[in-house]
Amino acid sequence: MSIPLVVLLGALCLLLALWAGWYTVRDRPVVARQLLAAATVELVLLVQAAIAGARWSGVAAHVSPGLFWTYVAVQLFVLPLAATWAFAERTRWSSVVLLAAAVTVGVMEWRQWQIWSVA
């Protein structure tokens, strides 16, 4: 894992969560630009997963592979599922779903970094 990508993902998740939170408070549904922002976060997550895969051999002895790769896999599915739900639900609750997904991915990113840094 790359520290700059971890920081970038944390910042992107925070911005997306704040944006979705603002829409939640204003009682507005998710807009297409927010889904595009979620897609950007997903793209960075894919890049990070590729980098982690390439660097795996150096830490494989110290990190639980099942735990780490489960976090990677689940993290990759959270935003697409939330985006699908938000697209289908055209009420303020779509913003709540996107907010929850952004916070979830941010926390999972932090936890994933903890697991990786044990090595």
Side-chain angles (χ1 to χ4, degrees):
M1 290 190 49
S2 167
I3 292 175
L5 278 179
V6 171
V7 172
L8 175 64
L9 279 166
L12 289 174
C13 287
L14 177 63
L15 289 173
L16 184 59
L18 289 173
W19 193 5
W22 177 248
Y23 269 56
T24 299
V25 169
R26 294 181 61 207
D27 198 22
R28 294 183 61 193
V30 167
V31 294
R33 289 184 310 236
Q34 289 172 312
L35 296 179
L36 184 59
T40 302
V41 174
E42 187 70 19
L43 180 64
V44 177
L45 284 171
L46 287 169
V47 169
Q48 181 187 31
I51 290 171
R55 293 184 179 174
W56 182 252
S57 62
V59 296
H62 305 290
V63 176
S64 168
L67 181 63
F68 181 78
W69 290 109
T70 299
Y71 268 97
V72 171
V74 171
Q75 195 177 27
L76 290 173
F77 283 103
V78 170
L79 283 173
L81 289 173
T84 302
W85 187 350
F87 185 73
E89 177 73 34
R90 301 306 305 155
T91 65
R92 86 179 264 199
W93 294 105
S94 63
S95 294
V96 173
V97 167
L98 191 60
L99 168 65
V103 169
T104 299
V105 170
V107 170
M108 289 181 77
E109 182 64 24
W110 173 66
R111 180 68 182 122
Q112 199 174 340
W113 173 251
Q114 284 182 329
I115 294 167
W116 185 275
S117 64
V118 167

